């Protein structure tokens, strides 16, 4: 089927490619004309403007917006609201805050424009592996887009089936899910990323404990020089902690066990923060997900003001002078 | 090859079975004579006592002890030390604290008895999937036992190879690892379990946030009734959080999304605790692994004394009277 | 000076009393006519309605709203905005979210009505000890109200002076602070409460560790039956952890060391949650303040869904069956 | 009464001075002869060796060891055990691990030498304010030393009495506590320090949130430039968070609100670590005390290996390249 795509960054471009391979016709636009030209060379239809994307598609039109969450997405969806007509569908495939979805869908509703939010996981691997899609919106709109979702998702593949699913919705087994009303797709994707932070931090702490076992401050017979690449590898097979994130860790450690090319200043996107805020709204204790988020905040600072105040208090009560850090 | 096995609980019994299927000869003993008889019926050679296990094996003997960590293992290894002779090998396959391994190996050394510690992951799935083995001990002893380890481990299977491992030790790709000197096998297994707690808690918090999104205290348009079984399923395919623990969660949720058969009073074994203690010894921040441990402690209590003191302080400064819990 | 007071709950009533003792004239209103009558009997001037409070005061009028944060305060300030005139001052002394202050002040500004937010700490002790006040708003409005703030605050008292403050604003030494523009008073009070949760949790955990040292699972010579009331008492004198919260803990423990009258289901108000959200907005790691909040969430539940999922995963990989809790 | 004192660092020297002022006769020794000479000039009796301390005192002798925990204390107590006789008392006033107390007391018992452990809080303020003392050991030995403890403790002073203590042990109100058998004094002091870390971290995070409210990444009308010295000051009066640590923070902030002289690399002593380990042994959730400890670990590192692994994983799944930190 036809689909407009606005935003041809890495994610948008690969989504276009994966849809093209599946025989769908994509009409694409990006401010960056080089990006448009590249995909036109691969079979997509180039549009010189957002308005042109809408003008080219046949009604009911569907336009997938794949832009950074925030202003870029907000402005684009507003403009789409101006040029689209009743029955058309706006799809937000970015990392949007679910409360923004709810607000935008309500703003488009009077004009009869439908809004579908799609949380998209898969990163640089998605083009080949397929994207895991978490979708929110009205049933009819979501079903109308089914061919698109089916093409983007990984499909059943060789992953073993979970017992007891015969009478259930088959879509999750193919890698896409209609989670519920507007916003629920991004909500589920948000929690996915919150969990992702927690999982990553669990591995990170564990490997740090393994690596630090060689510390000279430990008694000599309790000191081990462990091969982290081999440990990651062996855990991939038959252990309880096997996972895709472990597979990736094993790759990184096999390349360079010291990980010396990585700064350790770890970014975080909105989803980890929103997950913690959602937990607080719901009164759910989320100790691990919060700790994982804070570890990233801390990783980007040389020292916090909090730490200086600790030093100051220690000096005041005990005369302790802290030595400068960086050792 | 020949192997003595002492301790025929579920793990010991399944290890015996998996070795038997691979053509190894197991001489088995357990205080529980029914357990011995059952395995004898499946081809193992029954021994009426620990001493008899040792007497039956040809030198250099190897005896795998598969008993609960602590007194049971301690006593058994002491008795083996009395009846074994130079060149023999004691294998501790249980969940022993690595500092106990170091102490025991040192005690056996004067007599020339070798000590190998094997952290064994795999649970009830190990018989079929194979066990992930993390091994500590002297090179020669570990290499002598290689046929045993190779038979117990899962082997390479269909799991994709990690790039860049061609010049590395091939054993981790087959699911077993010689980690280093005595104690290092259990140390690596200990951290494995520490990570396991962290991963489990990350999923648990995330699914709790999803489930609690239906709470009536939330604004109506931000409330979702999410299908947790379908979410777990879709994340198995192409998402960043796919893992074996997620596979198991998907199974449990597909059976009963409310998990009403589970109490929520979660046990912990020694490894999670020791991991945190090791982190502290090494001065490694281990926020997530600690939080996961504490969540289990808390899960087993109705109320902590800490909480009562919080209530008492609130009453003293603000006159706040807390209502009884349990709602 | 004259002051209108709307909301005669415990806090509003005691503020009225403390102002009355200092010679200020309070015009009071509450939906609950008994509360109004009681204060009228103590010298305040009763008003039968909000409009009557405003009608009775001379311009520029100042009305202190002391109602629960949320709808009650919102509605009252809207109505005040309708009946007050340019130059008048609305004071919100409740536990309002600082972003609501900013929004409300902006809504009142076109009419020339000024908005002052006052974070008020002191609880049931405030009437006698005085209230610690954290004030946000325009300089002129705050200075106009100085006699009110000075009367409510504790004053310098017998607390030792901090060295080096001679050239600084004298108000903080008297117990009240003009923190900055609108919202900053409640922001500072919010963080005050966030810290309060952290401090309380630190004591709570510490006393729990002391109490649990009598556990029979510990080796006998490492078991102590400690007298918590005496420990709290001794720490009040010369230790690093002396504080007002410790004074209160010492009182509670001296009354009943088992704290058996307290449920341990600990409430939390908005401020602790907003503090964590503010930390996240600012990318400040706030591990301790978050953990203190989550401990309260957890204290109000019998079991979390997270815990049931942990049990379910353990059962799936290891066949572990958790025993019901409450032992 | 007479007391031997070994170890004349700042703590030992000030203890000698405070005892001297109270009329007690101290026989002092330190490897550093300058330290000995200085105190001799202030009225203490100098001893050229440990043996000489013991030789000078009249039986039953009491010797207070005030040395760094670990080897220095261990060796000194062993030597005292050799030269002291039945009925003599060894006092360990340092920061010893309580399990070491238990072991040492057991080693001295056969010779009839008594062992008393004293956790001592007060830091550089102790000479004038007095020391808060937490004491473990046999009743008779502790009572024999009562004049020493009474002289070192702050006494009742001007601190308000806790209601309901009339029928209780009067010593805690004077600032010293007989906590229980050997080791319990150091155990209580250990938890005191654990709590201290938690309290400090709560303030530190709170002030960081206040300071970071000026961040340019925030919306302009939600940004505040707060005066931290004034905030600390106002909280000293009538607020719930008033404490001695807050008094010290107010001092430090009044001197330099930016705390620019402090590195922020925060040391930790054994007690914070042992407190967390004790919590784990007792199965007490100690989230806040652990987080406070980990914040210190982290403060002393430029980057953790954990953080580099997070960066590596992010690169592997998303192609994210982290920018170097320190911005």
């Amino acid at each position: 089927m036809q689909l407009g795509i606005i935003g041809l960054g890495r994610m948008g471009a690969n989504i276009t490619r994966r849809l093209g391979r599946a025989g769908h016709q994509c009409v694409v636009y990006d401010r960056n004309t080089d990006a448009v030209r590249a995909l036109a060379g691969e079979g997509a239809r180039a549009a010189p403007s957002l308005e042109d994307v809408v003008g080219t598609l046949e009604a009911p039109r569907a336009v997938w917006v794949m832009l950074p969450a925030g202003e870029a997405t907000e402005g684009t969806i507003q403009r789409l609201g101006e040029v689209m007509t009743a029955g058309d569908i706006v799809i937000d495939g970015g990392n949007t805050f679910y409360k923004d979805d709810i607000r935008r869908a309500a703003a488009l509703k009077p004009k009869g424009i439908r809004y579908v939010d799609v949380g998209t996981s898969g990163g640089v691997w998605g083009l080949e592996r397929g994207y895991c899609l978490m979708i929110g919106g009205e049933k009819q709109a979501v079903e109308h887009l089914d061919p698109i979702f089916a093409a983007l998702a990984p499909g059943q593949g060789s992953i073993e089936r979970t017992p007891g699913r015969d009478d259930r919705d088959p879509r999750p087994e193919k890698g896409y899910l209609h989670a519920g009303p507007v916003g629920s797709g991004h909500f589920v994707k948000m929690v996915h990323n919150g969990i992702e932070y927690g999982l990553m931090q669990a591995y990170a702490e564990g490997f740090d404990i393994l690596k630090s076992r060689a510390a000279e401050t430990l008694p000599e017979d309790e000191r081990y020089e462990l091969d982290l690449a081999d440990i990651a590898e062996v855990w991939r097979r038959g252990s309880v902690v096997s996972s895709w994130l472990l597979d990736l860790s094993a790759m990184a450690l096999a390349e360079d066990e010291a990980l010396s090319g990585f700064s350790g200043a770890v970014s975080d996107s909105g989803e980890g923060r929103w997950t913690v805020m959602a937990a607080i709204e719901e009164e759910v204790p989320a100790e691990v997900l919060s700790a994982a988020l804070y570890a990233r905040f801390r990783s980007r600072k040389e020292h916090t003001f909090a730490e200086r105040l600790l030093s100051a208090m220690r000096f005041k009560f005990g005369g302790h002078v802290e030595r400068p850090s960086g050792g």
Side-chain angles (χ1 to χ4, degrees), chain A:
Chain A
M1 62 184 280
Q2 271 191 326
L3 185 75
I5 298 182
I6 295 176
L8 301 173
R10 193 174 46 203
M11 284 290 280
N14 280 344
I15 281 173
T16 306
R17 287 187 187 104
R18 193 166 166 96
L19 288 173
R21 291 182 191 174
H24 296 292
Q25 299 180 320
C26 297
V27 183
V28 301
Y29 168 69
D30 193 289
R31 283 192 320 188
N32 175 349
T33 51
D34 287 349
V36 177
R37 206 170 305 129
L39 284 161
E42 299 181 44
R45 174 151 177 191
S49 72
L50 174 149
E51 288 72 16
D52 210 67
V53 171
V54 174
T56 305
L57 296 168
E58 286 160 39
R61 303 168 193 89
V63 177
W64 183 296
V65 180
M66 200 72 207
L67 291 166
E71 281 177 44
T73 299
E74 186 77 25
T76 296
I77 292 178
Q78 266 173 14
R79 282 169 58 201
L80 284 172
E82 288 158 17
V83 295
M84 288 176 115
T85 55
D88 288 351
I89 304 172
V90 174
I91 304 157
D92 181 357
N95 286 322
T96 289
F97 186 42
Y98 66 100
K99 296 190 186 185
D100 288 331
D101 290 319
I102 295 168
R103 179 177 48 74
R104 286 177 194 154
L108 293 171
K109 197 163 195 180
K111 218 179 147 180
I113 301 170
R114 295 176 290 173
Y115 186 97
V116 170
D117 54 287
V118 183
T120 310
S121 180
V124 294
W125 299 72
L127 177 56
E128 302 306 332
R129 281 209 324 170
Y131 298 94
C132 177
L133 304 177
M134 295 144 265
I135 305 159
E138 287 169 24
K139 195 169 183 295
Q140 283 181 318
V142 173
E143 288 182 357
H144 176 75
L145 297 167
D146 193 77
I148 298 296
F149 298 140
L152 289 174
Q156 203 154 311
S158 61
I159 294 171
E160 232 171 309
R161 287 197 68 196
T162 299
R165 287 199 55 88
D166 286 347
D167 300 332
R168 285 183 166 274
D169 184 347
R171 292 175 293 180
E173 290 190 272
K174 296 178 186 154
Y176 64 108
L177 165 79
H178 182 200
V182 163
S184 65
H186 278 138
F187 188 85
V188 173
K189 173 58 166 43
M190 174 193 86
V191 176
H192 166 278
N193 284 32
I195 293 173
E196 173 192 308
Y197 285 25
L199 302 178
M200 288 172 72
Q201 185 67 20
Y203 287 115
E205 292 180 4
F207 278 100
D208 202 346
I209 295 170
L210 292 171
K211 183 167 187 70
S212 302
R213 204 63 206 174
E216 289 184 12
T217 51
L218 297 170
E220 203 171 338
D221 62 350
E222 298 179 8
R223 231 182 274 164
Y224 303 120
E225 302 266 359
L226 300 165
D227 185 313
L228 303 191
D230 282 357
I231 291 173
E233 189 61 34
V234 82
W235 286 348
R236 296 180 66 220
R237 294 156 197 284
S239 97
V240 174
V241 303
S242 64
S243 72
W244 192 54
L245 284 164
L246 181 67
D247 294 346
L248 300 177
S249 300
M251 285 182 206
L253 290 164
E255 285 170 20
D256 169 18
E257 203 166 332
L259 302 177
S260 47
F262 296 97
S263 72
V266 191
S267 299
D268 74 286
S269 59
E271 287 97 339
R273 304 178 185 198
W274 302 329
T275 301
V276 174
M277 290 181 179
I280 293 174
E281 284 179 3
E282 302 172 5
E283 306 184 12
V284 169
E287 201 51 73
V288 157
L289 305 194
S290 303
L293 179 65
Y294 293 146
R296 294 188 175 200
F297 288 171
R298 180 59 189 84
S299 80
R300 302 196 299 260
K301 305 187 181 204
E302 205 167 335
H303 273 298
T304 63
F305 185 73
E307 289 161 8
R308 287 210 296 281
L309 183 56
L310 294 178
S311 289
M313 283 192 242
R314 293 189 82 236
F315 180 71
K316 284 292 175 197
F317 72 68
H320 306 293
V321 180
E322 317 279 16
R323 281 168 305 176
S325 91

